[in-house]
Amino acid sequence: MRGGMTRRRALLSASALIALGSPGWARDYRGAMPWKAGEVYPPDSIASPGPWLFLTAEEAAMIEAIADRIIPMDELGPGGRDAGCAIFIDRQLAGPYGQLDGWYMQGPFPSDPLPTQGYQLPLTPRQIYRDGLRALASYVAHAFNNRKFQDLSGEEQDRLLTELEKGKAKMDGFSGKVLFEQIYGNVMEGYFADPIYGGNKGMASWKMIGFPGARYDYRDVIAHPNQRYTLPPVGLKGRPAWGPPMADGAGGRI
Amino acid sequence: MRALFATAVAAAVLSAAPAFAAPDHPDQVERGRYLATVGDCVACHTQAGSASGNAGFSSHGFAGGRSIDTPFGKINAANITPDQETGIGNWSADDFYRAMHEGVRPDGTHLYPAFPYTDYTKVTREDSDAIFAFLQSLDPVRSEVNRDSLPFPFNIRMLMLGWNTLFFKPTEFKPQPGQSAEWNRGAYLAEGLGHCGTCHTPRNMLGGERNSRPLAGGDLQGWYAPSLTADNRTGIGSWSDDEIVEYLQTGRNAHGAASGPMAEVVENSTTLMPEADLRAIAVYLKHPLGSHEAASTPQPLPAENPQMQVGAAIYMDGCQACHRADGEGVARLFPSLAGNPLMQQSDPESLVRVVLQGGRAAATDAAPTGPSMPAFGWRLTDDQVAAVVTYIRNSWGNAAAPVTADEARKLRERLAQVVK
């Protein structure tokens, strides 16, 4: 029987044929994809000026101080504070990212996850900032004679941040390493993300590294190899040559 | 009792019979179906709420209710299915011809020229009868439409008597002796059922078509129907017959794509027409009667103009990836802006609108993609919209009047109203 067609196989083939041939299963799609005039999906959490949305003034001051140590101002560009990293972080925390909307946030949470497993904490970014910064403030007050983080000298701040990063500073009730990694990542994002989100003021970081911004067609550039790329960077809201940009909060769906 | 029941059934069957009977002249009905396609009845008469493109040729494409914007108010298109009470089930072929030819209903009241009887008047009696036979073959749909939605004083239909005296005379199509049969076929289609002029001919203050300037471009309440004259800059003088046929057949050609209301015309009407008729229309459009007065060509704005400089920057960052630095676009995918008449109309409304809320090219069986352009209104100010449109209107050989931020603002407000 081996090699020949078994009864079972014949049956299977027949049912497969029926499935393929059944008109009820096939659908004929005609016409274009649905499209609506004026339909837009602007980025979440477009930053607009105004008071802090999630952070307290004290928390914001701490973040600005930390951002300025992670990315200090130098001849190449502004520091993390002036670039607006704290504004970026505040607007992101106030938006969907703050609560990780859309992430799977049920357990189990392994205590020693592999790096490939990605984010494995039960905490939302809001909780990390709120609880972590509180723990940091009390740690600083304890270790530095009732001073605040933002009042420490640059050297003291650097030393403390290094200890947090290496897990050497033992804060009460919160992992210094978790807090440091969270802030470090978000400061980098704020420094390099599109200015529409509140950081990267004046596209300073893009100018610094030569990133062209929200452009996506380089055929003309590729056609001229070995020539310097001279176009200025452009953000989602344009660049100075566009004239005054849309007032924040204006626009929206037409 | 049984006899009574049988009588009742018979009566019911008899009274319902006209509506459900198979048409006596299937050839005529099929011809009428085609002519109704040429006339694009569904563009307006589709049932309110159903997208006209999907209405196809079910009865719902003719059940009425779609609201038509006019400068005088909104008019709801009539139910033209053979429903006895809410449709035209009680009409005769004579009644139908009178509506087409004179713009008058069986009871003597006047129709508004939103129903283009000013063009349909040229439809032959034979064609009118075929369309009527087709409409009568549809399933009747009960669909009550408020046919008196215009505000005072335009709700007085008697006014149309005066309007007709000024702007309308029932006429029959007369072939031009000096022209080819093809040209005359094109003229019959374009001036009659095709009613191109309803949108593309400018109107005066009272809504009368300015017959001295046929197909020179018309305002459509939020769109501007471009000129179809033989002018090279603003009309279709630079398009070949083949390119016009391709445009009507597929919704695009090497120059550009139909979008907005014209996309609907292509999808519901012209793409379903045989090539011979489309070619006839092309021949007619390319060889208009009378001498063509070359429109004076304005000087393009200089590149140093501040609006042009802002516009150039926005174009480079926002438009160039698809429409290319030289404005040539990509044939049959991204419309060419250089030398495109649509960019150089006296009224920039369609252009501003597409920048504000995006656009989608017609999707036809021949070119099913229907590529779309995203909306920019959410991230460009009125000043920026005006600048980039001004730049497009005055670059790569284009030349047209600059656009003001005020024009962009007004259209933005109008569109916001439409969406509500």
Side-chain angles (χ1 to χ4, degrees):
Chain A
M1 206 51 204
R2 180 169 295 213
M5 199 175 208
T6 63
R7 195 181 150 83
R8 185 174 295 172
R9 189 171 292 169
L11 256 172
L12 277 172
S13 316
S15 52
L17 270 178
I18 291 169
L20 284 172
S22 165
W25 292 37
R27 242 183 231 173
D28 186 15
Y29 287 97
R30 291 179 72 82
M33 293 288 289
W35 180 86
K36 261 198 213 143
E39 194 167 18
V40 291
Y41 299 93
D44 283 330
S45 317
I46 294 182
S48 43
W52 300 108
L53 296 182
F54 173 78
L55 299 173
T56 64
E58 199 68 22
E59 290 167 340
M62 290 172 85
I63 291 172
E64 288 188 326
I66 295 171
D68 243 12
R69 293 321 298 169
I70 294 176
I71 309 176
M73 184 183 72
D74 61 11
E75 68 281 4
L76 295 174
R81 178 207 312 264
D82 291 343
C85 291
I87 300 168
F88 169 85
I89 290 171
D90 176 65
R91 301 312 195 244
Q92 288 297 314
L93 290 175
Y97 171 77
Q99 302 194 89
L100 297 181
D101 287 351
W103 285 38
Y104 179 78
M105 287 294 285
Q106 310 296 314
F109 300 101
S111 56
D112 193 14
L114 295 167
T116 48
Q117 285 180 281
Y119 190 76
Q120 288 291 344
L121 292 173
L123 302 169
T124 66
R126 286 187 192 175
Q127 289 168 320
I128 294 176
Y129 276 90
R130 184 115 307 152
D131 298 348
L133 289 175
R134 187 190 298 122
L136 178 61
S138 87
Y139 180 87
V140 172
H142 202 74
F144 291 89
N145 197 18
N146 268 338
R147 287 158 73 196
K148 294 176 174 177
F149 179 90
Q150 54 271 37
D151 297 334
L152 302 181
S153 73
E155 274 170 34
E156 288 169 325
Q157 290 174 334
D158 283 355
R159 205 164 51 237
L160 178 50
L161 289 171
T162 309
E163 286 174 5
L164 287 174
E165 182 181 16
K166 293 187 171 160
K168 286 184 185 161
K170 299 291 175 205
M171 304 196 306
D172 193 13
F174 206 92
S175 156
K177 199 171 159 63
V178 165
L179 177 67
F180 179 84
E181 283 175 3
Q182 180 74 33
I183 298 178
Y184 177 81
N186 290 155
V187 164
M188 286 298 165
E189 287 161 2
Y191 198 76
F192 289 105
D194 193 287
I196 203 169
Y197 303 105
N200 191 9
K201 198 171 174 193
M203 297 182 279
S205 70
W206 292 356
K207 287 175 188 157
M208 182 169 74
I209 62 172
F211 181 67
R215 299 184 193 281
Y216 62 93
D217 178 63
Y218 297 97
R219 281 170 293 178
D220 293 337
V221 180
I222 290 167
H224 300 95
N226 301 320
Q227 288 185 25
R228 199 168 175 77
Y229 180 85
T230 53
L231 293 187
V234 60
L236 285 170
K237 283 223 182 146
R239 58 186 166 101
W242 287 25
M246 182 80 90
D248 293 282
R253 188 179 185 282
I254 294 178
Chain B
M1 182 66 192
R2 184 176 292 171
L4 190 65
F5 180 71
T7 316
V9 169
V13 167
L14 280 176
S15 68
F20 297 108
D24 294 334
H25 307 290
D27 290 356
Q28 189 189 33
V29 169
E30 280 315 302
R31 233 170 64 76
R33 185 194 304 278
Y34 173 61
L35 294 166
T37 304
V38 177
D40 200 6
C41 311
V42 295
C44 294
H45 288 284
T46 197
Q47 193 156 31
S50 72
S52 69
N54 301 332
F57 281 86
S58 76
S59 295
H60 293 281
F62 302 86
R66 189 179 194 186
S67 174
I68 316 297
D69 263 327
T70 80
F72 311 101
K74 286 182 187 301
I75 299 182
N76 304 317
N79 177 356
I80 51 172
T81 70
D83 186 60
Q84 303 271 336
E85 282 166 44
T86 63
I88 59 170
N90 289 326
W91 287 30
S92 68
D94 287 339
D95 294 335
F96 187 74
Y97 182 67
R98 193 166 172 225
M100 294 281 281
H101 191 61
E102 297 172 34
V104 175
R105 297 195 284 209
D107 64 4
T109 54
H110 286 266
L111 290 160
Y112 296 108
F115 169 65
Y117 63 84
T118 45
D119 287 9
Y120 290 168
T121 187
K122 290 186 176 171
V123 174
T124 62
R125 176 68 202 239
E126 188 192 2
D127 283 355
S128 169
D129 285 355
I131 296 169
F132 183 68
F134 162 67
L135 292 175
Q136 293 292 309
S137 78
L138 295 168
D139 291 335
V141 177
R142 198 179 160 77
S143 159
E144 201 95 48
V145 176
N146 174 13
R147 298 279 292 129
D148 297 298
S149 50
L150 285 184
F152 181 83
F154 308 114
N155 58 348
I156 305 170
R157 286 178 179 268
M158 271 308 284
L159 287 180
M160 295 319 298
L161 196 61
W163 191 91
N164 284 345
T165 312
L166 288 171
F167 304 117
F168 174 67
K169 207 166 124 230
T171 35
E172 274 162 19
F173 178 75
K174 292 196 184 60
Q176 289 289 329
Q179 300 286 349
S180 67
E182 190 177 41
W183 187 96
N184 276 308
R185 172 69 178 165
Y188 174 70
L189 291 171
E191 293 174 8
L193 269 180
H195 66 286
C196 309
T198 301
C199 295
H200 289 280
T201 294
R203 291 172 183 273
N204 59 26
M205 290 277 290
L206 294 172
E209 288 180 23
R210 288 158 70 172
N211 293 326
S212 59
R213 302 183 58 217
L215 304 180
D219 182 16
L220 283 187
Q221 313 299 302
W223 288 100
Y224 183 76
S227 160
L228 302 182
T229 63
D231 190 78
N232 273 329
R233 187 177 64 87
T234 61
I236 51 174
S238 61
W239 291 18
S240 70
D241 291 3
D242 283 341
E243 286 171 339
I244 297 175
V245 171
E246 186 187 356
Y247 182 89
L248 295 173
Q249 205 159 45
T250 69
R252 73 202 61 177
N253 61 18
H255 302 284
S259 64
M262 192 62 199
E264 289 184 32
V265 173
V266 169
E267 289 170 358
N268 293 330
S269 176
T270 59
T271 191
L272 303 170
M273 291 168 65
E275 191 176 326
D277 275 352
L278 296 179
R279 191 162 296 279
I281 291 173
V283 167
Y284 164 76
L285 289 176
K286 287 286 287 182
H287 302 94
L289 291 181
S291 61
H292 162 62
E293 50 166 305
S296 60
T297 305
Q299 282 295 311
L301 294 180
E304 313 81 72
N305 175 296
Q307 232 189 344
M308 289 288 281
Q309 289 188 329
V310 171
I314 296 171
Y315 184 85
M316 179 170 89
D317 301 333
C319 319
Q320 180 173 312
C322 293
H323 294 288
R324 316 299 295 136
D326 56 9
E328 292 291 341
V330 174
R332 292 175 183 79
L333 186 58
F334 303 128
S336 158
L337 310 181
N340 186 336
L342 197 56
M343 307 299 132
Q344 303 173 73
Q345 300 299 306
S346 56
D347 184 334
E349 201 164 26
S350 292
L351 200 49
V352 174
R353 179 166 183 156
V354 169
V355 170
L356 282 175
Q357 60 169 194
R360 209 250 308 267
T364 58
D365 281 355
T369 312
S372 61
M373 163 170 153
F376 286 86
W378 69 276
R379 63 190 187 100
L380 293 181
T381 63
D382 295 333
D383 283 302
Q384 291 170 337
V385 170
V388 74
V389 171
T390 298
Y391 175 78
I392 290 166
R393 280 161 70 78
N394 289 280
S395 299
W396 323 291
N398 291 353
V403 178
T404 64
D406 204 41
E407 287 174 280
R409 181 184 57 77
K410 280 187 182 139
L411 187 57
R412 200 191 282 271
E413 282 166 7
R414 177 195 280 274
L415 296 177
Q417 291 293 321
V418 172
V419 168
K420 275 174 209 157

